Amino acid sequence: MTLTPSFFPVREVDSKRLDLSTYTKRSSTTLAKEEVATGGTSEALEELQLPDVFEKLFGVTAKQLIVVDRPVVIFAEKPSDPKYNYIEFLKRVLRELYRVYRGGLPNPSTISTSFEEVKLKVKVGGHVYTLDLDSMLEQEREREHFRYLVDRLEELYSQGLGYLVLYGTGGTLEKLEKLGLAVTHLYLGNVKEELHSVEAKKRKLWIIPRPVELRINEDKSVYCIVDLMWGRILNACRDTDALISGGMVLDYYAVSREDEYYREIARIAYDPEINLIVEPSSRGEGELERESVVHYALKALAVMHLRDNEGIPESEIHTEYDMGDIVLDVYARHSKLGDLAIEVETLYGTTIPLLKLRKTIESRLSKGLRTWIIILSPQFFLFLPWIARIRKAYKKKYGDLIEFFTIDLEKRK
């Protein structure tokens, strides 16, 4: 018998169509083994086009919801299947964006009662303001109420960053759009060559910030993304089929996952054993605010990971480590990796988050420290494509000296 080798070409894979769960189930160790086995390099990982979670959720990109000190108006269409009701989930996503770009917590405003029961004062700056139009408006006075709402929208020109979400059925949103949101019937015309389409010429110039139109992707993958955003990484998607078959409403699931996320952070931060070995930051004023508790908990989780999963003795792990011109969140002497600096980034109040990451990374790498950046899971997945780009740039220059991580609170890794 003669053995005859056969050669088969590798099929092309469109990375944009890869399911998000693909990334959660392949650890860096697995990737490294695959690269050695195939003779590849780390560039294989760098070429992956990581998905925009916003686009997977709502059909719009994160960039469309980011403006410079301006209010954002969102037309959020209700799902056809009530199981995918998503207004509570959307409010929490917008809150996280606000905390990154403005800092602090936005004022919450939610209106779902009838128009006559509340003196409607739409103020978007500094708010996440949601209006359930279907519940609020009375059919017999619909036009009058819509016109009143339009008048309030015209006041947005002098308000700062905030989000106004108009949540309603497609028909309700279309009526609002037709009732006077355009100052004239000016068309985009010949502004740009690519705008010559019939659809583009029909667009009007708005006297309010141009609304962002979105709706939830009515697919079970959105339950997986909820898992990922609230710190359930290794077991993301595990219960999705059971949730769908059991009729779990997306909003209920998102709220419950968020609640467990903050409960676990509190369990870590207030653990007496942790308090004995993890130093609080000396860079604040000594008063722990919510962000500080989260930051402290993640710093503690990094210490636990080094001790329990990397086998580094506590005597070789230091928190709030002073190196003169910089203070490291966590510093460890790793037997294989050498001097290791770990920095926890919540990204809250950074305005331009990648500039903050750049400053942190370069100050550590310039000292020859292997640097790990840990980013909160909500921010990690909301800014995933941008994190991937900055990671690629620094990996190209510094190789394995830099890596980015998020956290799995369920597994404490």
Side-chain angles (χ1 to χ4, degrees):
M1 286 174 39
T2 303
L3 296 178
T4 304
S6 299
F7 298 88
F8 297 91
V10 177
R11 293 183 180 180
E12 284 190 357
V13 178
D14 182 356
S15 59
K16 292 182 179 179
R17 298 180 60 190
L18 290 175
D19 189 270
L20 192 60
S21 61
T22 303
Y23 303 102
T24 68
K25 295 177 180 178
R26 301 174 70 203
S27 68
S28 58
T29 303
T30 303
L31 284 168
K33 290 179 179 177
E34 290 173 358
E35 290 162 7
V36 171
T38 58
T41 67
S42 60
E43 287 301 312
L45 180 61
E46 306 309 325
E47 293 304 317
L48 289 176
Q49 296 179 11
L50 299 184
D52 187 319
V53 168
F54 260 105
E55 202 164 15
K56 280 185 161 290
L57 285 170
F58 306 119
V60 298
T61 64
K63 291 181 180 179
Q64 291 176 259
L65 296 173
I66 299 168
V67 292
V68 179
D69 201 26
R70 294 266 288 165
V72 179
V73 179
I74 298 172
F75 285 3
E77 185 177 344
K78 291 184 177 180
S80 57
D81 184 348
K83 181 168 71 265
Y84 289 97
N85 281 336
Y86 63 97
I87 189 63
E88 293 299 326
F89 180 38
L90 177 60
K91 287 193 294 187
R92 284 154 175 79
V93 169
L94 296 176
R95 180 197 65 202
E96 294 305 306
L97 281 182
Y98 183 94
R99 296 176 78 181
V100 169
Y101 289 103
R102 178 75 179 270
L105 289 168
N107 294 309
S109 296
T110 300
I111 304 297
S112 60
T113 55
S114 69
F115 187 90
E116 299 298 339
E117 291 180 19
V118 61
K119 184 177 180 181
L120 184 61
K121 178 63 177 176
V122 177
K123 183 178 181 182
V124 184
H127 286 70
V128 172
Y129 200 118
T130 59
L131 288 171
D132 189 325
L133 296 180
D134 297 331
S135 300
M136 187 188 75
L137 298 170
E138 295 178 1
Q139 188 67 29
E140 62 269 18
R141 301 185 62 187
E142 185 179 80
R143 185 176 181 86
E144 178 185 344
H145 296 160
F146 271 130
R147 293 295 305 181
Y148 179 83
L149 180 58
V150 170
D151 288 343
R152 302 288 72 74
L153 292 175
E154 292 181 17
E155 299 171 354
L156 299 183
Y157 73 94
S158 187
Q159 296 183 34
L161 178 63
Y163 296 94
L164 170 63
V165 182
L166 303 175
Y167 190 53
T169 57
T172 303
L173 295 173
E174 288 175 6
K175 291 176 185 177
L176 178 61
E177 187 173 354
K178 293 176 181 177
L179 277 174
L181 290 179
V183 62
T184 66
H185 289 276
L186 294 174
Y187 298 111
L188 293 177
N190 298 323
V191 176
K192 290 185 179 180
E193 185 176 350
E194 63 266 24
L195 297 177
H196 286 179
S197 67
V198 174
E199 180 182 356
K201 288 183 178 180
K202 289 181 180 178
R203 286 190 175 274
K204 300 173 182 179
L205 296 179
W206 302 79
I207 55 177
I208 66 169
R210 181 167 296 172
V212 177
E213 300 177 13
L214 58 82
R215 73 190 309 271
I216 196 71
N217 174 26
E218 296 184 42
D219 181 82
K220 67 179 183 180
S221 63
V222 296
Y223 288 82
C224 296
I225 295 176
V226 168
D227 280 341
L228 295 170
M229 284 187 60
W230 298 116
R232 192 185 197 190
I233 311 300
L234 297 176
N235 283 333
C237 312
R238 183 186 64 185
D239 302 326
T240 301
D241 290 335
L243 293 170
I244 295 293
S245 61
M248 171 63 76
V249 176
L250 178 63
D251 264 349
Y252 294 162
Y253 188 62
V255 171
S256 65
R257 291 305 314 161
E258 180 204 30
D259 183 63
E260 183 55 34
Y261 173 85
Y262 282 109
R263 287 178 182 273
E264 183 60 26
I265 282 177
R267 282 192 283 266
I268 294 173
Y270 295 106
D271 185 334
E273 179 187 356
I274 291 297
N275 299 155
L276 290 174
I277 61 175
V278 178
E279 293 295 327
S281 173
S282 59
R283 288 162 279 179
E285 298 178 354
E287 296 182 1
L288 289 178
E289 299 176 356
R290 181 173 300 183
E291 288 82 6
S292 298
V293 171
V294 172
H295 189 278
Y296 180 83
L298 265 65
K299 189 166 58 176
L301 192 144
V303 171
M304 294 161 59
H305 175 82
L306 293 177
R307 181 191 64 189
D308 301 337
N309 301 317
E310 299 285 342
I312 302 177
E314 285 185 10
S315 60
E316 297 296 321
I317 305 173
H318 309 275
T319 53
E320 295 301 311
Y321 189 77
D322 193 340
M323 295 193 72
D325 54 337
I326 60 173
V327 178
L328 306 180
D329 286 338
V330 180
Y331 169 70
R333 297 181 179 89
H334 197 290
S335 59
K336 296 180 179 179
L337 302 179
D339 291 347
L340 174 64
I342 298 180
E343 293 300 317
V344 172
E345 293 292 346
T346 64
L347 301 183
Y348 291 143
T350 54
T351 308
I352 304 178
L354 293 192
L355 289 182
K356 173 62 167 64
L357 289 176
R358 170 185 157 189
K359 182 179 179 181
T360 299
I361 292 167
E362 292 182 354
S363 65
R364 275 64 181 169
L365 291 177
S366 64
K367 294 184 177 295
L369 297 168
R370 183 181 295 271
T371 304
W372 288 0
I373 304 295
I374 302 177
I375 300 175
L376 285 175
S377 47
Q379 285 73 23
F380 185 86
F381 287 101
L382 292 179
F383 296 103
L384 185 59
W386 297 335
I387 293 171
R389 290 187 67 178
I390 194 172
R391 176 185 184 273
K392 179 177 180 179
Y394 281 106
K395 294 286 279 186
K396 185 175 182 179
K397 184 175 181 180
Y398 293 99
D400 292 337
L401 287 180
I402 179 70
E403 191 53 275
F404 291 77
F405 295 85
T406 191
I407 58 170
D408 188 318
L409 279 174
E410 191 176 58
K411 298 290 185 180
R412 292 198 174 188
K413 292 185 177 181

